[in-house]
Amino acid sequence: MPVGSLAVAPSAVSLVEAATLPLPGLTALQTLDWLNVRAGERLLVAGAAGAVGGLAVQLARARGARVDALVSRPAQVEAAKELGAERVTTDPAALPVGAYDAVFDTFGAFAVAAVADGGRYASVATQAGPVPDLSHRSVRTTVNQVREDGPGLAELTKAVDAGQVRARIEAQYGLRDVRAAHEHFRRGRLSGKIALVL
């Protein structure tokens, strides 16, 4: 692996916790960078209780953004608030129209009415298809895909060590229990990552 794709792991968390960060963390970080989320802006994170969305909420708050959240189940409302979301709803129809400078969609919610004219809308839900064309409202859109990024990993490490971002682990399994880990994952309703410890 190219040395430029690597970074030192955070020292404030265990190596198991650190191992849960690269893929969802880089996805969140790179998408927030594309969205150019700045201090004082309003951001909506759709899927804020998931791995990517939960990290996006925390990273955006660390940048000084005001973050609201759309989650899929009532049980996730408090979890999203604990991560730093101000207003959390399970109902897309309850989102204020045109209120957000940027929308980060992690699961294909297509909450396009929520983004302000001239705003930015990014999805990482490639399975949901392309974001609707919003050029008539001067809204920039993308479906973002993660890439190797050593400096991004270093930024995540810094955020974790500064206490701005925390890893969330639902459960840990040993290698001999890989079947149980997979079954746990398939049941869904996770509050964090499932770690397979070798």
Side-chain angles (χ1 to χ4, degrees):
M1 178 171 280
V3 68
S5 299
L6 305 175
V8 175
S11 59
V13 296
S14 71
L15 287 178
V16 173
E17 290 171 303
T20 68
L21 293 169
L23 181 60
L26 285 178
T27 302
L29 185 70
Q30 292 169 4
T31 305
L32 288 172
D33 285 347
W34 184 91
L35 287 166
N36 194 24
V37 174
R38 298 179 300 276
E41 288 195 315
R42 290 193 71 189
L43 171 71
L44 172 68
V45 177
V52 173
L55 290 168
V57 169
Q58 295 175 78
L59 289 165
R61 291 280 298 175
R63 293 179 180 195
R66 296 178 54 207
V67 184
D68 289 348
L70 175 64
V71 295
S72 58
R73 299 187 316 275
Q76 296 172 324
V77 170
E78 283 308 312
K81 286 181 179 178
E82 287 174 11
L83 293 171
E86 294 178 19
R87 178 176 179 215
V88 184
T89 184
T90 59
D91 181 8
L95 296 169
V97 173
Y100 298 98
D101 300 292
V103 175
F104 186 158
D105 185 354
T106 71
F107 69 94
F110 297 126
V112 294
V115 66
D117 290 353
R120 292 95 63 199
Y121 193 107
S123 173
V124 295
T126 54
Q127 78 286 353
V131 177
D133 180 10
L134 301 175
S135 60
H136 63 285
R137 296 177 47 210
S138 300
V139 174
R140 291 188 317 125
T141 62
T142 192
V143 176
N144 203 42
Q145 294 190 3
V146 70
R147 64 190 182 286
E148 291 179 5
D149 182 1
L153 289 174
E155 187 175 337
L156 285 171
T157 292
K158 185 177 176 182
V160 170
D161 285 343
Q164 297 170 325
V165 171
R166 64 182 173 89
R168 296 177 298 146
I169 294 183
E170 167 88 10
Q172 296 182 43
Y173 292 90
L175 187 57
R176 70 175 181 273
D177 298 317
V178 67
R179 180 183 298 261
H182 183 69
E183 289 170 357
H184 189 154
F185 176 79
R186 282 187 13 171
R187 285 194 298 270
R189 300 180 181 263
L190 304 177
S191 61
K193 299 294 281 180
I194 294 178
L196 191 60
V197 182
L198 306 179

